[in-house]
Amino acid sequence: MAENKKTTSDKADELAQIQERIFEREVDEELRQERLANFWKKYRFLIIGGAIGIILATIAGEWYGSWQDKIRASESDRLEKALISAAKGDDKPALSQLKQLAKDGKTGYRYIAKLEEAGLLFQKKKDDKALTILFELSQDTKAPQPLRDLALVSYIGHVLDTSNTEELKQMISPLAQNEKSAFYGQAVELMAWLHLISGEKAEAQKLVEQATASGNLAPQLKERLTLLLEQKAQ
């Protein structure tokens, strides 16, 4: 009898441990989803910063490879000085330097200057001016395509909840279908969000499945897209 009681007690303890582990996994899953939700909320807008400008400077430099090295080097230095001023908190001289480079620049750095100017204007809560810069750059056929794509993604990210959804779909649709673009994943994310805003969950689901199957999305982005659909399904 004592042995049977011990066995029953052991089983009860084992069951309690299993239930505890299940509860811990559920808590971990809830925390994971909460972290992902916060990540989406915080980073769904592509904020333009100095690091992005420096990276894209390389792209622009290659795109304008036929220009003399002296001109590119000079404009690179001007951009760097403006970014240093911005990093120090000297927004006024930084904006002045960026505007001037955007105005008289002769290489791809003029477009990067526009992106950086928009980023600073967003920080100063001058959204209308920043959005105008991004929209105009996204439509500028003379600008390198990667910079136009970046401007478009950032523009739509900032007006996602305030502009005509159908118009935004038309704008982002070509990029959301271009798997070769460096911003394909972000475009898919925005397009899926626009579908969900319109109540088109089936279209969003199809778009996400196609993008995931393409193999061109980073694991973190795939996870965010999945979470986005789950949240809208609730």
Side-chain angles (χ1 to χ4, degrees):
M1 181 68 67
E3 183 177 352
N4 289 338
K5 289 182 178 179
K6 182 177 180 180
T7 302
T8 301
S9 176
D10 290 342
K11 289 182 178 180
D13 290 342
E14 183 178 355
L15 179 60
Q17 292 176 4
I18 292 174
Q19 291 175 336
E20 183 177 353
R21 286 195 294 270
I22 293 175
F23 175 75
E24 290 176 350
R25 282 199 297 269
E26 290 177 349
V27 171
D28 288 341
E29 178 64 18
E30 289 179 1
L31 290 174
R32 183 185 70 84
Q33 292 197 6
E34 182 179 355
R35 286 194 296 270
L36 285 172
N38 290 334
F39 181 86
W40 162 254
K41 182 178 180 181
K42 184 176 181 181
Y43 293 109
R44 66 171 179 159
F45 300 143
L46 183 57
I47 305 301
I48 304 167
I52 294 177
I54 293 173
I55 292 172
L56 291 179
T58 303
I59 298 175
E62 293 176 353
W63 199 83
Y64 278 89
S66 62
W67 287 84
Q68 295 179 2
D69 292 341
K70 184 177 180 180
I71 296 176
R72 291 202 306 272
S74 174
E75 294 189 1
S76 175
D77 289 342
R78 292 172 63 186
L79 176 65
E80 184 177 0
K81 289 179 181 179
L83 295 180
I84 291 174
S85 295
K88 292 180 178 178
D90 298 331
D91 293 344
K92 189 174 181 179
L95 283 171
S96 177
Q97 292 164 353
L98 290 171
K99 286 181 179 179
Q100 192 61 39
L101 177 56
K103 181 180 180 180
D104 60 24
K106 293 179 172 53
T107 72
Y109 290 103
R110 63 179 298 188
Y111 303 111
I112 297 175
K114 291 182 179 181
L115 289 170
E116 294 296 345
E117 181 184 357
L120 279 180
L121 289 172
F122 277 127
Q123 292 179 23
K124 295 174 69 66
K125 307 300 181 184
K126 296 182 178 180
D127 291 9
D128 290 344
K129 292 183 178 180
L131 289 172
T132 298
I133 292 174
L134 291 178
F135 179 78
E136 290 178 351
L137 179 55
S138 72
Q139 304 301 309
D140 189 347
T141 57
K142 294 181 180 180
Q145 193 62 51
L147 304 189
R148 293 181 62 192
D149 291 347
L150 173 56
L152 179 62
V153 167
S154 186
Y155 173 80
I156 292 181
H158 280 88
V159 301
L160 196 65
D161 302 319
T162 58
S163 296
N164 184 286
T165 303
E166 293 305 315
E167 291 181 358
L168 295 181
K169 285 181 187 176
Q170 293 179 8
M171 292 175 63
I172 198 66
S173 179
L175 185 55
Q177 298 174 20
N178 182 10
E179 297 181 11
K180 295 182 179 180
S181 171
F183 301 99
Y184 167 68
Q186 288 81 359
V188 168
E189 191 168 20
L190 290 172
M191 190 66 171
W193 185 260
L194 290 168
H195 278 312
L196 292 172
I197 290 176
S198 302
E200 302 165 346
K201 187 177 185 301
E203 286 79 357
Q205 181 73 46
K206 181 180 179 180
L207 178 65
V208 170
E209 290 176 353
Q210 289 177 342
T212 302
S214 72
N216 291 335
L217 297 182
Q220 290 182 340
L221 183 53
K222 290 181 181 179
E223 197 169 12
R224 290 211 309 273
L225 286 169
T226 301
L227 176 62
L228 176 61
L229 294 178
E230 291 176 352
Q231 288 180 323
K232 279 296 181 179
Q234 296 175 355

